[in-house]
Structure formats: structure tokens, C-alpha cells
Amino acid sequence: MDTYFADLHIHSRFSMATSRDTDPVRLDWWARRKGLGLIGTGDCLHPGWLEELEACLTEAGDGVCRLREELVLPGAPAGETPRFLVSGEVSAVYRREGRTRRVHLLLLLPGLAAARDVAARLSRYGKLASDGRPTLSMDCRELLAEVLEACPAAELVPAHIWTPHYSMMGAFTGFESPADCFGDLAGHIHAAETGLSSDPAMNWRVPALDGLTLISNSDAHSPAKLGREANLLETERDYPSLIRALRTGEGFAGTVEFFPEEGKYHLDGHRKCGIRLTPAETIALGGVCPVCGRKLTIGVEHRVEELAARPAGEAPEGAKPYRCLTPLREVIAASLGISAAGKRSGALYERMLQELGPELVVLQDWDLEEVRRTAGPCVAEGLRRLRAGQVDLQPGFDGEGGVVGLLSAGEIRELGGVKSVPAGAEGVPRSAEWY
């Protein structure tokens, strides 16, 4: 039995707005750097991506794959070889009860052959080659039925369930429970993805989600964003063990989360007008933007409040632990007052990975004195505050990501700034620009 992090929801370069570097080779390389033991393939219904996966991966256990040994990049971090689990996201867009429904769903499958079978079944409902996340003209219940007919071992998970525009529970979709969405097949839904704008504690307030395993994934559109949210498993790294954990909770040890305020849809607002509002402020305004008079985008916190039946802080039986973290490169930036996308933060990020180890280990467990010797006092203090939850948060809204603050400019000056990094130490592939 292994203890490992799993990131099951990602995308390939065949999806819109994704990095061209998102291929199996770089996904393997970045998974090693992040400390992930299992990653989804993403986009498993796309014919081009499926062909590439079949060419680059080889079987590595019951229903999982690994990158072919000859394709592993030179200098890839040593340690456990990441496994790939066949996964993909679909967008169901349809009319029900006089209302347009748009729901994103995460599909998990026991191997590449199963992906071929499911793709053949679903190709009648949309053009699978048009996008890595295809749009299918199907009711969610119908989609679930078709998937199970093609592959009874498949698992379908509602994705980022609170996102306003494309989710099961979002403000503009209108469903209030899995039963509303999937009808008599709701018993086949065992897990739900909380998304970047909510954490498990927010979801615990909604009894309609009781009994579901709450999972967290990166929804990465570039390899460098793998693992920004992840699941902690204590199981064998194979498909049956993972699915058993999702269905029963046995072996599912918890999640690593964004601070929900970092998500792009945490609060209400109107990005074009620069308006960010709490639920109470939105209600007072009648849901209308005070600048342009148009309807406000209702965020995740507001939608959760609408459906909540428990007070904040109360957890249902069987609730799993979680921990809020921020990607290491953003920790470096917030600790030094520099850009997370700049060369300085990139070089220091590389040094920390080389000298300390994979990112998820550094963020959670690495000795702070070792961090100070490698990255300097500011980063060590920023990481201490992150672990303690001592962060300043500027919440995201209407597609605008939130911002995490760790040290003020005065504190950075007092602590003496950053340990110097040699010129040419960056060593970051092109995909890092997608941070």
C-alpha cells in the first residue's frame, strides 16, 4: 500500500486555452517535481490525444499506465515513477424544464481501451475532436447511463461543482443536489470535486452532498500547475483501489486545497466594472451591478449560503481532513514582493526543488531552517505563515483570481530579502510561463 498525492483532473494541449507544452513527457516530468504519485491523463476522449497517450504510455498495473522509460526526460527527479490514470472532462449542455443546463463532468476510466469504447459511444452526441473537453448535447442522467453502458467500471464525478456557469450546483445551472441532476441514477455518483473557489468545510454545510467523497484537483491547463490542488490517498496505485477509495472513503486520507478566496469565483461581482461584493452586499443591491446596472455574477460563497443547512464549522460524519496551501512559486513571490512569473522567482523555485525536493513535500513538511538556508529568511517566514494559515487574502470574483499576501514590504526589508541565486540557474521549461 502506498501513500501518495493524486491529481485526477487536468487538460492536454488539445483543450482550449492550454499550454502547447502539455504532452505526456512534460506531464511526467512535472508530476515528479510536484511530488504526485498519480495523475489523470486529461482529455481522454479526444482522438488525437488518445493516439498520443497510446504511443507514449505503457501499462503499469491494474488500469493505470506510466510513461515509457525511453521517453523520461534526462535529469527528471529521482523517486517513484508517476502513474497515469485515464481521465477526461466533458461539458453537458442541454435544456431541462425550460432552462439551459451547463454541467462539467470528470470521467475516470480503467485504461485506454475503455476510453476508446466510451468515445465511440459518446461520439453520437458531439464532435469529440473539436476540443479536449468536448461539448455534448446530453442530459447528465443520459450521459451517465451511456458511460456505464459502455464501461460499467467507469466513474463519473461532477466537476468544480460550485462554479457559476458550468457546474452541477452553480448559480446559473440551478440544480441543488446530485438527485436533481442525475435523477434515478444519482446512486452512481460517489464523489464531487469542490473546485478552486470552495474548500471542504464550505461543502460540509450542504446536506445534499453528505455521503459523497469530496475531491480536489488542479484542473491544470499547463504542466507547471499540476498539484495546486490534490488528493491524499493511502491505497495501492491502481484503478480499482482508487475507485474503491472514492466510493467508500476507505483509503481516502484528505485533500490539499487552495485557500478558497484564491479561486476566480469565490465572491460575487462584475469584473468589467471592478465590483467585488459579499453575498450580503449583493442581496442589498438586488443582484444588480451598481456601475452598469447589469446582473452580477453570483460567486461560490453566495451559492453555498443559499443551500447551506449547517452552520460554518460543523462537519458531517466521515468528513475527511484537508489543508490549504498555495503553490510554491506564489509563496516565493508573496514572501519577497516579486512576480510569480518572473525570472527571479523561477530561479529560486528551481533551487528549492533541486536542494529540498518535490514541491508538495516542501510546502507541507520541510524543515524551515533548511528552507531558510536554501531560499533565505523571507521565504522561510512566508512558508511558516502559510502553514499556520496566517495569510492576507484578497478574494477572487467573476473570473478574477484572488491574491494571497504573506509579508509586507517593511517586513521583507527587516528580514533582509532573498538569498542570491546564480545567473543562469533558472532552468525552467517554457510551460512555466503559464503560472
Side-chain angles (χ1 to χ4, degrees), residues 215-353:
I215 69 172
S216 296
N217 302 293
S218 68
D219 198 358
H221 285 219
S222 72
K225 288 192 176 180
L226 286 176
R228 58 182 177 176
E229 290 201 337
N231 309 283
L232 180 61
L233 279 299
E234 295 173 350
T235 70
E236 299 297 331
R237 281 190 299 160
D238 57 36
Y239 185 82
S241 298
L242 173 75
I243 297 305
R244 189 180 310 115
L246 297 186
R247 292 179 178 178
T248 69
E250 181 181 349
F252 191 89
T255 55
V256 172
E257 308 276 338
F258 261 27
F259 291 94
E261 291 86 353
E262 290 182 81
K264 292 182 177 181
Y265 292 97
H266 184 70
L267 289 185
D268 307 338
H270 196 185
R271 179 172 48 168
K272 289 183 179 179
C273 297
I275 297 298
R276 174 176 52 209
L277 301 167
T278 66
E281 291 170 332
T282 298
I283 292 170
L285 290 168
V288 173
C289 175
V291 175
C292 70
R294 296 182 179 179
K295 188 176 181 180
L296 291 162
T297 298
I298 302 302
V300 169
E301 185 174 288
H302 191 151
R303 181 62 172 163
V304 170
E305 287 286 350
E306 288 180 344
L307 302 183
R310 292 192 183 100
E314 184 176 321
E317 184 178 354
K320 301 295 184 179
Y322 69 96
R323 189 170 191 178
C324 288
L325 296 172
T326 296
L328 180 56
R329 197 156 169 180
E330 295 176 23
V331 172
I332 293 169
S335 301
L336 295 169
I338 59 178
S339 168
K343 290 185 177 180
R344 189 179 176 195
S345 60
L348 190 54
Y349 178 75
E350 290 299 311
R351 166 178 276 184
M352 294 181 73
L353 294 191

Side-chain angles (χ1 to χ4, degrees), residues 34-198:
K34 296 288 185 171
L36 295 166
L38 183 69
I39 60 171
T41 61
D43 297 354
C44 66
L45 300 180
H46 191 282
W49 183 237
L50 190 52
E51 286 181 8
E52 191 166 337
L53 293 173
E54 290 170 334
C56 294
L57 303 183
T58 185
E59 291 187 9
D62 194 349
V64 295
C65 306
R66 63 171 174 80
L67 186 69
R68 293 184 182 278
E69 194 65 38
E70 64 271 20
L71 297 179
V72 176
L73 285 175
E80 198 70 50
T81 300
R83 301 289 191 268
F84 285 81
L85 184 139
V86 177
S87 70
E89 187 182 18
V90 297
S91 178
V93 179
Y94 57 102
R95 296 280 293 178
R96 190 201 286 184
E97 298 172 346
R99 183 170 183 173
T100 299
R101 317 286 182 160
R102 298 180 176 89
V103 182
H104 284 183
L105 301 158
L106 175 64
L107 178 63
L108 307 177
L109 295 170
L112 295 168
R116 287 285 182 191
D117 293 340
V118 173
R121 191 93 180 188
L122 297 182
S123 62
R124 295 174 289 173
Y125 301 94
K127 295 181 179 179
L128 301 186
S130 64
D131 185 56
R133 180 185 57 212
T135 297
L136 305 178
S137 300
M138 303 180 72
D139 186 290
C140 284
R141 186 214 174 274
E142 180 186 10
L143 194 156
L144 176 57
E146 292 279 17
V147 166
L148 293 176
E149 183 71 23
C151 179
E155 191 72 14
L156 199 66
V157 179
H160 43 73
I161 62 171
W162 298 103
T163 302
H165 302 284
Y166 291 93
S167 70
M168 181 176 71
M169 309 281 276
F172 298 132
T173 301
F175 295 127
E176 297 187 359
S177 70
D180 287 348
C181 186
F182 296 96
D184 61 319
L185 295 185
H188 292 278
I189 301 299
H190 306 100
E193 184 183 65
T194 59
L196 302 181
S197 293
S198 83

Side-chain angles (χ1 to χ4, degrees), residues 401-416:
V403 178
V404 173
L406 292 171
L407 275 70
S408 68
E411 290 171 325
I412 293 169
R413 286 193 298 271
E414 278 185 31
L415 288 171

